[in-house]
Amino acid sequence: MPTRPMVGCRVPPEWKKKIEAIGAETGRHASQIVYEAVERYLAEVGDDLVSIQIQKILQRVEALEADSAITTLSLKVKELDAKAEKMQALLTTLNPSSLEGGERGKLTLNAEQLAMILKVTPRSVNMAAAKGIDYFSSWTQQHSKTNKWSFEVINPGAKKVTRHFFSIY
């Protein structure tokens, strides 16, 4: 059976006398009394530590909420979300079959605009497009509830490829 580690400390003489008196009255050894006292103390402090940690977390949250930089970022995120919703609404209301002559119209977007609609990064849009039209089309279906997307390369063979993205109806 493994032994438990020992902890020792020096106490004032009056504590020692109290511990011995409790031991004599209860028939227990001084080490048992000290063990129980430490056990009770640790249980109380453990509960207090949880409360203290919760208070510290709440204080940090309050400090973050009061931070003007966080407030500014939060407002900018809300503005971007609103812009993305407007773009999504525009795209879902666009009906190319209503164009004269039955020609399909294309509302073309760049990677940044499409990324806002799909709520991804422009880099992920370009990386998906680099894998080919079929992959890109199925990838966009995973990110868009209403539209399937495709693209056309504007400057094939150039060092930096430019793509225009459009919705497939």
Side-chain angles (χ1 to χ4, degrees):
M1 183 164 130
T3 60
R4 291 184 276 183
M6 183 174 165
V7 176
C9 68
R10 298 193 181 276
V11 296
E14 57 271 11
W15 288 13
K16 176 127 168 78
K17 287 178 187 175
K18 285 182 184 179
I19 292 169
E20 289 171 346
I22 293 170
E25 212 163 295
T26 61
R28 291 180 293 162
H29 193 274
S31 63
Q32 289 175 311
I33 295 164
V34 172
Y35 180 87
E36 289 175 16
V38 170
E39 183 178 43
R40 287 181 186 171
Y41 175 79
L42 291 176
E44 286 178 27
V45 170
D47 292 343
D48 289 343
L49 286 177
V50 170
S51 297
I52 290 169
Q53 289 172 342
I54 289 171
Q55 288 292 30
K56 285 181 180 179
I57 290 169
L58 290 174
Q59 288 171 352
R60 288 180 189 156
V61 168
E62 288 172 4
L64 285 174
E65 288 173 347
D67 188 345
S68 63
I70 299 295
T71 303
T72 302
L73 284 174
S74 178
L75 290 173
K76 288 186 179 190
V77 166
K78 287 178 183 176
E79 289 173 12
L80 287 172
D81 280 343
K83 286 180 183 179
E85 285 177 20
K86 286 179 184 177
M87 289 182 75
Q88 184 67 40
L90 172 67
L91 291 169
T92 56
T93 59
L94 182 65
N95 184 357
S97 62
S98 67
L99 297 174
E100 289 185 27
E103 291 182 19
R104 297 194 144 236
K106 286 184 190 175
L107 175 63
T108 59
L109 305 174
N110 62 31
E112 290 78 18
Q113 293 165 329
L114 182 57
M116 281 179 34
I117 292 168
L118 299 178
K119 296 183 180 173
V120 296
T121 63
R123 183 170 187 225
S124 63
V125 170
N126 283 320
M127 288 175 62
K131 294 181 180 180
I133 289 177
D134 292 334
Y135 176 85
F136 182 79
S137 182
S138 64
W139 179 83
T140 57
Q141 280 186 304
Q142 295 172 3
H143 293 84
S144 175
K145 296 175 186 140
T146 55
N147 295 326
K148 188 174 179 182
W149 295 87
S150 188
F151 65 90
E152 59 187 3
V153 178
I154 303 305
N155 54 349
K159 261 187 175 179
K160 185 175 180 184
V161 174
T162 302
R163 295 180 185 92
H164 283 176
F165 301 93
F166 54 93
S167 181
I168 302 171
Y169 296 94

